[in-house]
Amino acid sequence: MDALKTKKAISKVFDDPAQQLFKPRGRILFLKYFVLVFFIVIGVRFWYLQVVRHDHYVKQAENNRIRDIPIPAPRGSILDREGRILVDSRPTYSLLLYQEDMTNKEETVRVLTEKLGVDKDFLLRQMNTPGSRSRPIPVKTNVKESDRAWVEAHELEHPELKVELQPQRRYPHGEILAHVLGYVGEISEDQLREPEYDYCRPGDVIGQAGIEKSYNKILMGKEGSKRVVVDSRGRVIEQLEEIPAIAGQDIVTTIDIDIQLVGEQALSDTGLNGTVVITDPQDGGILAMVSHPSYDPNLFAAGIKPSDYAKLVNDPKKPLRNRAIQDRHPPGSTWKILMATAAMEERLLKEKQAVVCGGGISIGSRFAQCLGSHGGPDVQRAIEVSCNGFFYRVGLMLGIDKMEKWQKNFGVGIKTGIDLPNEIKGIVPSREWKKKEYPSDPKWRDGDTINAAIGQAGVRPTPLQMVYAISGIGMHGKFYTPHVFKEARKSENYPQILYEPKVKDLHLADETWKNVTQGLWRVVNGSGTARRAQIPGFDVCGKTGTAQVVSVKSGASGEQKEHAWFVGYAPKDAPEVGGVALVENGGHGGTAAAPVIKSCFEEYLRKKKGLPKETEQLAQTLSQETATNRVLATGQASTQTESRASKPEPKPSPNNPATGLRPNRSEGQRSTKPDRPAARQAREVGQ
């Protein structure tokens, strides 16, 4: 009975469909379905690989055999106005990393850092740049012979490393002209997203500052390539074709390297930081632009280390900043030229019109001093002796609204449009400016006006704006946009590109021009503060300025050491050269800044006359050629002195016997201090 029940139970199990696999027939059926599904999966996979991904794998397989190697295009050279090299490119041995041939990243990094001296942070940054896996990346330039030998000896173990000749930027003058020329570097991810770089690819080396950046497209050229057959280790077996690179165009600048070198030396001789700009007033060309301290752009050409770059960025003296277009300072008494011109153009001031000095002016309960007693000078005399009392009253005649209008007309407080990157606007005061800067005391007051009239109360132009403005006044109201580009030379692949001057003409009245320029001539050639800028026979016109700042010396016990300004042009009747010098913490403009511009103007004149570089011979030649002019100039000055004999003159002082004025106090009002709120300034002058 039990045996029968067991048999029925076994039969029931095998009759269950779920148990059919245990039967031989079920196992065969399962195997058939399994094989069918397997081949279906394999077939779909083959279809995906051979049809859907066909192009991808063909390209990948081809790349294992055929490789396109980029050929960098040499950048065009940058030349001075006489064709002398300022920047060029030279072939140097560079260590390249082909990441597609790299089998062990950690080992490659170890070898490059420990054996070949590559900075690890720099290396990892290069390896992670966009497009770095599809093209060789330079990890070390100026490779030594020992490094080349090591790479060749380990070619089998490290086929990803190659040493090849590549063009590298060379700046033969080092720190000189660095802020004008700029430097190069690999394009960043952010730059690749900008429309202005739509012609660039990952890994391209582009201009990052100065002319290199402004004219990158002209200088860059077009990359070439060569198609080669390589083996499994990346070694070239055969070259199939080559598309040569097209070098960029050479650019001729307006820079004169001789004048630049003189400016560099003259500013260095002061032992202080600052800037010098020399221009051609007749078309706006920049003949020289000095900015101290500077930096060596060759550091960037060779691939600057992060630590070196951090030092430049964090240096408190800011060597990367172009002080000519990126610094703004109170202009001191140089600002008075703009005020005199504006007042005469508005017909508020006429030729020979006497305006009382009064030793200063009363505003409310306070008295703003003029550090001299000038009687009732006319505009020429007021410019010559830098009479604050005169310009306080001229400022009140104009009022802040007319001041603002003429500041913009003269191109101050707005960008000049120079073809260098990162120019700033500068600051000029206005009603809106005060409301924004000093919301606790937003009302514009007379005390603000008289301060603004002498270059205080928030007036902060750039040095380039000052030479642009005063050279334009000397040109009878023709203001030429400053520029450093002169031409791009014609080549086999590119046409010539010439600079077209841009000019704004204010058509200054003859009376305005005559009186202002004569006043500026008297500052240098009469009894003014810029006699150290005088060049006999060249009729230098200009104005000094002394602007208060906190002393450069720490712990100076409240002493203030001023910035020294001089801005001018020559000759008087038909300006050929203009210039501005700002010597930071240099003291008096006539002592520190005027001699710098004189040196640059003398170099310009030497070259114009074709004389050798010896200063003594230049001075002797000028003296011989201009003896008659000097006699006439002396006679004119004597006549002017006689005409003023009836007017009371200040008594001579030990500091300056000629004028009775203290040199460090003759440039402008000293009752206000820069960077104080306007309301506080107003209280100081009796607001």
Side-chain angles (χ1 to χ4, degrees):
M1 189 67 180
D2 292 337
L4 181 61
K5 289 181 179 180
T6 301
K7 183 177 180 181
K8 287 182 179 181
I10 293 174
S11 176
K12 186 176 180 180
V13 169
F14 279 95
D15 288 340
D16 187 350
Q19 304 297 326
Q20 293 300 314
L21 290 177
F22 292 102
K23 294 183 179 181
R25 182 182 175 189
R27 289 195 295 270
I28 293 173
L29 187 62
F30 170 77
L31 184 60
K32 287 181 179 180
Y33 282 118
F34 175 79
V35 172
L36 178 62
V37 171
F38 175 78
F39 278 105
I40 290 174
V41 171
I42 292 296
V44 170
R45 182 61 178 167
F46 281 160
W47 175 82
Y48 175 77
L49 295 176
Q50 297 185 24
V51 178
V52 177
R53 301 283 286 169
H54 175 269
D55 293 340
H56 171 76
Y57 287 106
V58 165
K59 187 179 294 185
Q60 192 175 61
E62 189 74 6
N63 194 52
N64 289 333
R65 187 177 66 89
I66 298 176
R67 178 175 297 169
D68 289 322
I69 300 176
I71 303 175
R75 290 177 70 86
S77 297
I78 302 176
L79 314 171
D80 88 334
R81 65 191 302 113
E82 296 179 9
R84 293 169 291 188
I85 291 175
L86 303 177
V87 188
D88 63 2
S89 298
R90 61 176 180 176
T92 61
Y93 283 105
S94 296
L95 176 60
L96 305 180
L97 171 61
Y98 289 78
Q99 291 195 79
E100 56 191 343
D101 293 332
M102 186 170 60
T103 57
N104 187 326
K105 180 178 178 179
E106 289 73 18
E107 176 61 16
T108 299
V109 170
R110 186 192 69 80
V111 165
L112 286 170
T113 55
E114 296 181 6
K115 301 293 185 182
L116 298 171
V118 178
D119 182 81
K120 187 173 184 179
D121 293 336
F122 170 76
L123 173 62
L124 295 176
R125 189 172 73 248
Q126 289 290 92
M127 294 175 71
N128 292 321
T129 54
S132 60
R133 294 199 62 83
S134 60
R135 58 191 291 131
I137 56 173
V139 295
K140 188 175 183 179
T141 57
N142 300 318
V143 177
K144 297 183 294 185
E145 183 65 33
S146 58
D147 291 339
R148 290 169 54 193
W150 192 96
V151 172
E152 290 175 5
H154 295 80
E155 183 181 8
L156 294 178
E157 302 97 309
H158 295 284
E160 72 275 18
L161 301 180
K162 299 282 191 298
V163 176
E164 299 177 6
L165 279 173
Q166 296 228 315
Q168 179 180 304
R169 218 56 173 147
R170 184 179 74 103
Y171 302 86
H173 295 287
E175 294 186 359
I176 293 171
L177 272 173
H179 299 93
V180 175
L181 301 173
Y183 57 88
V184 296
E186 189 169 321
I187 192 168
S188 67
E189 293 184 57
D190 291 339
Q191 288 172 321
L192 283 169
R193 289 191 284 267
E194 296 176 10
E196 65 175 303
Y197 295 110
D198 58 2
Y199 60 93
C200 297
R201 299 186 303 174
D204 282 347
V205 173
I206 64 169
Q208 300 286 2
I211 293 174
E212 295 275 29
K213 181 176 182 178
S214 295
Y215 295 99
N216 181 70
K217 199 167 186 177
I218 293 175
L219 291 165
M220 193 168 172
K222 294 181 180 178
E223 186 180 77
S225 66
K226 58 183 178 181
R227 176 162 289 190
V228 297
V229 179
V230 298
D231 61 14
S232 59
R233 291 186 173 274
R235 293 174 296 190
V236 176
I237 300 173
E238 178 186 0
Q239 180 171 311
L240 301 179
E241 63 175 329
E242 180 174 333
I243 302 174
I246 299 174
Q249 282 180 273
D250 293 342
I251 284 180
V252 180
T253 68
T254 61
I255 296 294
D256 186 315
I257 190 60
D258 294 323
I259 299 176
Q260 178 75 28
L261 291 172
V262 169
E264 296 273 357
Q265 186 61 53
L267 185 57
S268 294
D269 288 345
T270 68
L272 299 167
N273 297 327
T275 183
V276 180
V277 183
I278 306 298
T279 67
D280 180 350
Q282 298 181 10
D283 72 354
I286 302 294
L287 302 180
M289 183 176 282
V290 181
S291 181
H292 285 182
S294 187
Y295 65 94
D296 188 353
N298 287 298
L299 292 172
F300 292 89
I304 191 168
K305 296 179 180 179
S307 57
D308 291 335
Y309 183 69
K311 288 179 182 177
L312 290 173
V313 171
N314 297 323
D315 189 329
K317 295 181 180 179
K318 305 298 181 186
L320 293 175
R321 192 171 65 204
N322 185 346
R323 282 165 156 75
I325 63 174
Q326 294 176 310
D327 268 8
R328 51 196 180 206
H329 298 284
S333 291
T334 60
W335 192 249
K336 295 172 182 175
I337 306 310
L338 280 62
M339 296 297 99
T341 306
M344 295 200 74
E345 285 297 291
E346 290 287 344
R347 310 303 295 169
L348 300 170
L349 193 62
K350 297 181 181 180
E351 184 175 12
K352 298 183 180 179
Q353 177 181 341
V355 177
V356 65
C357 167
I361 192 171
S362 293
I363 299 293
S365 60
R366 297 295 180 89
F367 186 75
Q369 290 185 340
C370 176
L371 298 166
S373 179
H374 305 112
D378 62 6
V379 64
Q380 292 187 28
R381 176 64 175 163
I383 292 172
E384 180 182 12
V385 298
S386 197
C387 176
N388 280 1
F390 178 96
F391 284 100
Y392 290 150
R393 290 167 174 83
V394 167
L396 292 173
M397 292 178 194
L398 279 166
I400 186 57
D401 297 324
K402 285 187 173 68
M403 279 189 190
E404 182 183 7
K405 167 188 146 183
W406 280 98
Q407 287 163 177
K408 292 180 179 178
N409 285 344
F410 295 138
V412 181
I414 58 177
K415 293 182 180 180
T416 65
I418 189 173
D419 50 347
L420 290 175
N422 305 318
E423 180 188 15
I424 65 172
K425 291 182 178 180
I427 299 174
V428 291
S430 66
R431 296 184 192 276
E432 291 302 317
W433 169 82
K434 189 177 180 186
K435 288 177 183 178
K436 182 179 178 181
E437 293 295 318
Y438 305 108
S440 61
D441 182 24
K443 184 179 179 180
W444 188 270
R445 305 175 189 275
D446 286 346
D448 300 318
T449 301
I450 66 168
N451 287 331
I454 61 166
Q456 302 289 345
V459 181
R460 300 287 189 279
T462 67
L464 180 63
Q465 287 172 357
M466 289 305 298
V467 70
Y468 170 78
I470 292 182
S471 294
I473 292 170
M475 287 291 293
H476 226 302
K478 291 184 178 180
F479 296 78
Y480 286 90
T481 300
H483 62 96
V484 293
F485 177 84
K486 187 176 181 184
E487 70 166 304
R489 286 183 169 176
K490 181 180 179 180
S491 67
E492 184 179 346
N493 299 287
Y494 300 106
Q496 183 186 35
I497 304 173
L498 294 174
Y499 177 80
E500 296 181 4
K502 303 170 187 175
V503 62
K504 176 178 69 175
D505 197 343
L506 296 184
H507 301 285
L508 296 182
D510 290 341
E511 181 180 333
T512 302
W513 177 83
K514 183 182 77 170
N515 282 276
V516 172
T517 56
Q518 186 63 23
L520 291 172
W521 183 89
R522 288 166 63 170
V523 171
V524 178
N525 302 279
S527 61
T529 56
R531 288 185 296 257
R532 293 192 182 191
Q534 185 179 124
I535 301 175
F538 199 42
D539 281 344
V540 177
C541 301
K543 187 76 184 74
T544 59
T546 304
Q548 284 184 329
V549 291
V550 176
S551 175
V552 73
K553 299 177 182 178
S554 60
S557 302
E559 284 187 19
Q560 291 189 337
K561 193 161 187 174
E562 299 93 343
H563 287 341
W565 285 85
F566 178 78
V567 59
Y569 56 86
K572 176 170 74 74
D573 294 332
E576 300 172 11
V577 59
V580 62
L582 171 68
V583 182
E584 297 176 11
N585 303 102
H588 190 263
T591 303
V596 174
I597 295 301
K598 177 181 179 178
S599 297
C600 295
F601 283 10
E602 284 181 332
E603 178 64 12
Y604 167 84
L605 197 56
R606 179 195 68 77
K607 297 194 68 177
K608 178 183 176 182
K609 293 180 176 292
L611 300 175
K613 288 190 176 183
E614 288 76 6
T615 305
E616 295 79 7
Q617 185 165 350
L618 171 62
Q620 182 180 2
T621 303
L622 290 174
S623 178
Q624 293 171 353
E625 290 182 353
T626 62
T628 303
N629 290 337
R630 292 204 310 274
V631 170
L632 292 175
T634 303
Q636 181 181 8
S638 299
T639 302
Q640 292 168 350
T641 302
E642 291 170 3
S643 69
R644 296 193 299 267
S646 60
K647 299 181 181 180
E649 293 288 345
K651 294 181 179 180
S653 75
N655 298 294
N656 190 336
T659 64
L661 301 179
R662 289 172 291 176
N664 286 346
R665 295 290 186 174
S666 64
E667 295 303 332
Q669 172 67 10
R670 293 296 181 264
S671 63
T672 62
K673 297 182 180 181
D675 300 325
R676 293 186 178 185
R680 189 172 176 184
Q681 290 180 340
R683 286 195 296 271
E684 290 178 348
V685 294
Q687 184 68 17

